[in-house]
């Protein structure tokens, strides 16, 4: 009998009507290492306490995993519904929308639960729509057109439009336009970039189209939205990345320092600096503001929007710390750790592709050893023989000779197969696709899910570090699996607290 892995994916940059998470169930090949545990499957019926925590946070990562009926209105909703939050005594939870309908509730007209991820409207096509959203977020409609997007998805352009209209009620072009307009507004309000550069950085093909779209959407011209000139210091473009306080900057820096790749990353107590293929990126806290400062020095400003989205995910800036701490600080085992680190986050790596490379290289070796190997690989792939170089692209890793891989042959082959498959299209790699490669086990999938996809509820129970941390905390590792159920839906944050306790 084959086991199951439950994977959770999604985006957080869209309105509630198109935000969501998709649960995908896939068989786990028996070739996986015996020393790696399988990710727990979720219960068939929703736990009321877990659902309460998720709905109060309105976290889109849980959209589609359950539904709630409100007895006072007779309506059932998605957990991301923008309507006023009902009292808990008036709420009932359902695993499926059909169960809520059978109980006499009618669908909400604001959040449209009939089109939520995982609902019948999504069956068979939800993966295609979600993949399209991922590609749009990565700039597919900025660098290409609808036909090219449809070709990448393996479907016709007309069918792609039909899927979006049926499941989301809007077109792919509308999604991309809204994304570009919001980013243009940010550039106008926070930078002194010339309007022409703002237009192209936000993905508009011409200044005329940019002016027209901004005026139509905001009822203001770009110049009126700009206001007073900004005071800028230093080179590059500076943007503010806001978050909900508190924010445990020190905890994030500790994680990044522990996993830093020499030559690619430079980290101090007050700054994270990273080498990019065409420049540098720097993130630091802003005194007196609930925001981090992102400074970019790149040659192509058209990549700005993608880089900002990656930085937000890497530093976990969209989390709701109040809801997370309400669960973890009250836990008898983790409470002291959570209270010691208010605003703790679940930081990640720069991209899902980078997270996959790191996880494969780090199989069954220490973090220090993995960092050394990654630095050697990055230097071997670099065109610059100096001290700074970007993380290696998939094509360059795949082309390296065997002597550059100081690791067992099977692990080298796995890494090379992944890089060969996604050479030149690293942004298309997904957690689900990674799970299908030989030599990629549940531990690797779980780590990429946490660090690359930002899943808040993954817990790699087979990780030796987590087991050691739990034994030091509670003494009995056999109770760890049961304890993780109390931490839903924030088990990734619990894992981070446990890992951090090892170095305390």
């Amino acid at each position: 009998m084959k086991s199951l892995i439950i994977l959770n994916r999604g985006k957080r940059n869209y309105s509630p009507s198109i935000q969501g998470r998709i649960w995908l169930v896939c068989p786990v090949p028996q070739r996986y290492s015996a020393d790696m545990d399988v990710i727990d499957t979720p219960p068939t019926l929703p736990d009321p306490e877990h659902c309460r925590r998720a709905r109060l946070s309105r976290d889109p990562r849980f959209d589609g995993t359950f539904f709630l009926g409100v007895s006072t209105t007779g309506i059932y909703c998605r957990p991301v519904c923008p309507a006023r939050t009902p009292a808990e005594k008036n709420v009932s939870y359902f695993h499926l929308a059909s169960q809520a309908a059978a109980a006499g509730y009618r669908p909400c007209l604001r959040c449209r639960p009939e089109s939520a991820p995982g609902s019948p409207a999504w069956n068979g096509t939800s993966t295609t729509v979600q993949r399209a959203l991922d590609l749009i977020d990565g700039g597919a409609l900025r660098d290409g057109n609808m036909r090219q997007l449809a070709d990448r998805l393996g479907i016709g352009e007309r069918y792609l439009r039909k899927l979006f209209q049926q499941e989301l009620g809007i077109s792919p072009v509308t999604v991309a336009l809204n994304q570009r307009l919001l980013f243009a507004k940010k550039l106008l309000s926070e930078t002194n970039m010339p309007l022409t550069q703002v237009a192209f950085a936000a993905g508009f093909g011409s200044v005329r189209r940019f002016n027209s779209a901004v005026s139509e959407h905001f009822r203001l011209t770009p110049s009126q939205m700009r206001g007073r000139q900004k005071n800028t210091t230093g080179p590059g473009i500076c943007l503010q990345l806001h978050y909900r306080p508190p924010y445990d900057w020190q905890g994030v820096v500790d994680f990044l320092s522990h996993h830093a790749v020499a030559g690619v990353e430079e980290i101090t107590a007050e700054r994270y600096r990273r080498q990019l293929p065409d420049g540098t990126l720097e993130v630091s806290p802003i005194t007196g503001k609930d925001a981090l400062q992102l400074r970019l020095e790149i040659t192509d400003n058209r990549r700005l929007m993608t880089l900002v989205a990656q930085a937000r995910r890497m530093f976990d800036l969209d989390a709701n710390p109040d809801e997370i701490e309400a669960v973890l600080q009250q836990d008898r085992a983790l409470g002291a750790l959570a209270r010691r680190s208010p605003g703790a986050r679940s930081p990640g790596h720069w991209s899902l592709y980078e997270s996959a490379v790191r996880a494969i290289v780090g199989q069954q070796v220490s973090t220090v050893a993995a960092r050394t190997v990654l630095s050697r690989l990055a230097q071997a792939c670099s065109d610059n023989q100096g001290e700074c170089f970007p993380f290696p692209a998939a094509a360059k890793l795949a082309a390296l000779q065997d002597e550059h891989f100081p690791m067992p042959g099977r692990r080298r082959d796995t890494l090379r197969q992944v890089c060969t498959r996604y050479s030149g299209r690293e942004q298309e790699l997904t957690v689900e696709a990674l799970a299908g490669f030989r030599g990629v086990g549940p531990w690797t999938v779980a780590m990429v899910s946490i660090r690359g996809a930002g899943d808040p509820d993954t817990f790699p129970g087979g990780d030796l570090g987590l087991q050691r941390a739990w034994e030091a905390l509670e003494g009995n590792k056999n109770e760890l699996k049961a304890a993780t159920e109390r931490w839903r839906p924030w088990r990734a944050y619990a894992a981070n607290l446990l890992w951090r306790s090892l170095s305390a």
Side-chain angles (χ1 to χ4, degrees):
M1 177 179 178
K2 294 184 178 180
S3 304
L4 295 176
I5 290 181
I6 305 298
L7 301 178
N8 193 350
R9 302 189 58 250
K11 286 290 177 185
R12 289 175 277 179
N13 297 328
Y14 309 110
S15 63
S17 63
I18 58 174
Q19 289 172 325
R21 306 298 292 180
I22 304 171
W23 286 103
L24 300 171
V25 184
C26 57
V28 179
Q30 294 301 306
R31 62 176 177 266
Y32 288 158
S33 303
D35 60 341
M36 297 180 181
D37 289 351
V38 175
I39 303 173
D40 299 330
T41 58
T44 56
L45 295 177
D47 180 271
E49 180 60 19
H50 300 158
C51 294
R52 182 188 69 82
R53 298 166 181 170
R55 80 172 179 92
L56 290 177
S57 70
R58 283 196 174 94
D59 193 324
R61 294 175 290 186
F62 301 103
D63 190 16
T65 62
F66 68 90
F67 300 85
L68 56 124
V70 184
S71 60
T72 52
T73 62
I75 290 174
Y76 73 92
C77 302
R78 298 156 65 174
V80 296
C81 184
R84 180 179 178 182
T85 304
E88 185 66 23
K89 64 181 181 180
N90 299 325
V91 174
S92 299
Y93 296 104
F94 303 92
H95 183 57
L96 302 173
S98 57
Q99 293 172 331
Y105 294 96
R106 65 183 187 277
C108 174
L109 296 179
R110 296 189 67 180
C111 65
R112 297 180 62 223
E114 71 278 4
S115 62
S119 66
W122 280 65
N123 286 345
T125 57
S126 58
T127 303
T128 301
V129 173
Q130 185 62 36
R131 185 75 197 108
L133 291 174
D134 290 346
L135 292 175
I136 292 171
D137 191 42
L141 291 183
R142 180 195 64 209
D143 302 326
N145 53 36
M146 281 286 294
R147 181 184 59 78
Q148 293 169 325
L149 174 61
D151 288 344
R152 291 176 68 176
L153 296 167
I155 59 177
E157 181 179 345
R158 182 177 178 182
Y159 183 53
L160 176 60
R161 296 180 189 274
K162 180 180 178 180
L163 287 181
F164 266 71
Q165 191 60 44
Q166 175 183 329
E167 300 177 8
L168 307 180
I170 54 178
S171 69
V173 173
T174 301
V175 173
L177 177 60
N178 182 67
Q179 184 186 52
R180 292 197 296 267
L181 285 168
L182 292 177
F183 190 68
K185 181 176 182 292
K186 184 176 183 67
L187 293 179
L188 288 170
S189 62
E190 296 183 16
T191 75
N192 289 326
M193 291 176 63
L195 295 183
T196 301
Q197 292 187 24
V198 171
F200 292 121
F204 289 91
S206 68
V207 177
R208 181 178 179 180
R209 172 58 181 146
F210 167 67
N211 291 333
S212 175
V214 169
S215 299
E216 180 180 347
H217 187 82
F218 297 110
R219 300 294 188 269
L220 294 170
T221 66
S223 297
Q224 290 171 328
M225 293 181 64
R226 162 145 284 172
R228 291 181 299 178
Q229 291 292 302
K230 317 299 179 300
N231 294 322
T232 59
T233 57
I237 298 170
C238 288
L239 294 170
Q240 294 183 15
L241 307 181
H242 293 272
Y243 55 78
R244 296 183 181 94
Y247 187 85
D248 184 15
W249 168 259
Q250 187 58 52
V252 173
V253 167
D254 288 346
F255 165 80
L256 295 174
S257 299
H258 189 59
H259 294 82
V261 178
V264 177
E265 300 166 297
E266 178 188 340
I267 304 169
T268 67
E270 296 299 329
R271 185 188 69 175
Y272 170 84
R273 184 178 177 86
R274 178 185 185 87
Q275 195 72 24
L276 301 175
D278 62 341
T280 60
L281 170 147
E282 186 178 301
V283 178
S284 58
I286 301 177
T287 304
K289 284 192 176 182
D290 297 328
L292 302 181
Q293 177 177 272
L294 172 66
R295 183 184 296 274
L296 288 162
E297 296 182 50
I298 54 177
T299 57
D300 185 0
N301 286 339
R302 291 177 299 175
R303 297 179 57 234
L304 274 176
M305 190 158 48
T306 300
L307 296 176
V308 169
Q310 286 183 261
R312 291 197 64 86
R313 184 199 52 76
M314 180 179 182
F315 285 83
D316 195 19
L317 300 180
D318 295 322
N320 187 333
D322 291 340
E323 297 301 329
I324 297 170
E325 290 171 1
V327 174
L328 301 184
Q329 287 190 5
Q330 302 306 315
D331 186 77
R332 62 175 179 80
L334 286 184
L337 296 180
R339 289 188 292 273
R340 191 186 308 162
S341 304
R345 293 305 204 264
S346 179
H349 299 305
W350 180 242
S351 66
L352 196 147
Y353 156 75
E354 179 176 318
S355 179
V357 172
R358 286 174 177 260
I360 293 171
V361 170
Q363 290 175 351
Q364 300 176 340
V365 298
S366 68
T367 302
V368 174
R371 289 170 54 186
T372 301
V373 173
L374 289 165
S375 183
R376 290 175 57 182
L377 290 174
Q379 190 168 16
C381 292
S382 175
D383 297 328
N384 173 22
Q385 297 305 311
E387 296 181 355
C388 297
F389 30 81
F391 194 86
K396 291 188 176 182
L397 270 180
L400 287 181
Q401 299 298 314
D402 289 353
E403 60 266 20
H404 290 290
F405 295 87
M407 61 185 71
R410 292 184 61 181
R411 195 179 309 160
R412 178 198 63 217
D413 293 342
T414 299
L415 180 59
R416 184 175 282 156
Q417 288 168 10
V418 172
C419 291
T420 300
R421 178 81 60 85
Y422 290 94
S423 176
R425 52 192 186 95
E426 291 89 343
Q427 74 279 4
E428 297 183 24
L429 177 63
T430 63
V431 180
E432 309 89 79
L434 181 67
F437 282 90
R438 185 176 183 84
V440 174
W443 178 86
T444 304
V445 171
M447 296 304 295
V448 174
S449 183
I450 294 175
R451 304 304 185 193
D455 182 8
D457 198 32
T458 292
F459 190 90
D463 184 82
L464 296 179
L466 289 178
Q467 293 177 3
R468 288 199 304 270
W470 178 254
E471 288 177 355
L473 194 66
E474 288 289 296
N476 188 350
K477 70 176 183 179
N478 295 326
E479 297 178 0
L480 176 58
K481 184 176 180 179
T484 61
E485 292 300 313
R486 304 196 304 265
W487 306 332
R488 288 182 181 270
W490 313 113
R491 294 187 299 171
Y493 294 86
N496 277 276
L497 288 172
L498 288 170
W499 275 318
R500 189 176 182 186
S501 70
L502 291 172
S503 57

